[in-house]
């Protein structure tokens, strides 16, 4: 499932985050790349233990862990803390698939990477190129979102970031281990949950709501891995 969530951060919040990122200490992006993806990765990144990275990471997770649409779509269990990248002119990231499991720095925690998330912090008009291109069962999608928006997609997808030809692309990216490993099952649960919410808003006394909610939770009980 590929899903856009708009307005996770408002323009004022985005401006503050972007200003901080523009003044950050950027390093070679290969510091977190595996052997295979490292050959295709040409960008800059904040160190995982960078103070600014930890501060903005905390803001992102606080916002998303209470965001109804994110929670409904991802069904989060564990998260690999958000990372931050910068693409300047000529920088790109060729086709790759994310590592299946990632170890959290300075921790014994390991996270299975079920869902990838990218949060955009640069206004799309401020740079050319830099589209996130994703290939999966939904076809090939080219994505360049407004600052403050995010994109969810299966971490198993083949994807790339096209070369930036003007300006700078700033973003955060991270992975979530879902309670439901299978993307198809997560999509069915998300669609059912959205339908239940819509029916609740339109016809809160409808007798089918109890049955639908019960079916949703019984499916989640059957598929969840905790």
């Amino acid at each position: 499932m590929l899903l856009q969530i708009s307005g996770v951060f408002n323009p004022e919040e985005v401006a503050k985050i972007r200003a901080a990122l523009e003044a950050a200490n950027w390093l070679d992006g290969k510091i977190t790349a595996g052997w295979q993806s490292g050959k295709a990765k040409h960008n800059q990144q904040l160190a995982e233990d960078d103070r600014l990275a930890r501060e903005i990471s905390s803001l992102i997770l606080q916002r998303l862990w209470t965001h109804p649409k994110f929670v409904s779509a991802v069904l989060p269990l564990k998260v690999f803390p958000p990372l931050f990248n910068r693409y300047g002119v000529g920088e790109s990231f060729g086709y790759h698939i994310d590592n299946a499991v990632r170890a959290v720095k300075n921790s014994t925690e390991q996270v299975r990477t079920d869902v990838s998330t990218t949060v955009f912090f640069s206004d799309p008009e401020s740079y050319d190129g830099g589209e996130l291109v994703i290939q999966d069962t939904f076809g090939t999608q080219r994505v360049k979102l407004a600052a403050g928006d995010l994109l969810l997609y299966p971490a198993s997808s083949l994807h790339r970031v096209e070369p930036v030809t003007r300006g700078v692309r700033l973003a955060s990216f991270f992975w979530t281990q879902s309670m439901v490993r299978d993307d198809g099952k997560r999509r069915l649960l998300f669609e059912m949950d959205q339908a239940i919410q819509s029916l609740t808003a339109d016809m809160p006394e409808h007798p089918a709501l109890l049955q639908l909610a019960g079916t949703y939770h019984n499916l989640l009980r059957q598929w969840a891995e905790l």
Side-chain angles (χ1 to χ4, degrees), residues 72-124:
S72 178
V74 177
L75 296 170
L77 178 63
K78 296 193 292 185
V79 65
F80 187 90
L83 301 173
F84 300 85
N85 56 25
R86 180 186 189 276
Y87 290 83
V89 173
E91 293 182 316
S92 64
F93 197 164
Y95 270 127
H96 64 285
I97 293 177
D98 295 328
N99 292 348
V101 177
R102 298 192 70 102
V104 178
K105 190 177 180 67
N106 300 323
S107 169
T108 59
E109 188 81 54
Q110 295 193 91
V111 177
R112 189 183 66 233
T113 59
D114 296 326
V115 182
S116 290
T117 301
T118 297
V119 185
F120 292 78
F121 288 118
S122 293
D123 293 319

Side-chain angles (χ1 to χ4, degrees), residues 26-27 29-30 32 37 40-46 84-96 98 118-120 122 126-133 153 159-173:
W26 295 95
L27 307 174
K30 289 183 172 60
T32 58
S37 62
K41 191 174 187 179
H42 306 284
N43 66 2
Q44 301 165 68
Q45 196 164 306
L46 293 186
F84 300 85
N85 56 25
R86 180 186 189 276
Y87 290 83
V89 173
E91 293 182 316
S92 64
F93 197 164
Y95 270 127
H96 64 285
D98 295 328
T118 297
V119 185
F120 292 78
S122 293
S126 70
Y127 64 100
D128 293 331
E131 290 85 355
L132 177 59
V133 182
Y153 60 98
H159 59 283
R160 74 175 191 266
V161 175
E162 294 200 329
V164 170
T165 58
R166 178 186 64 88
V168 172
R169 177 192 189 272
L170 296 169
S172 174
F173 63 101

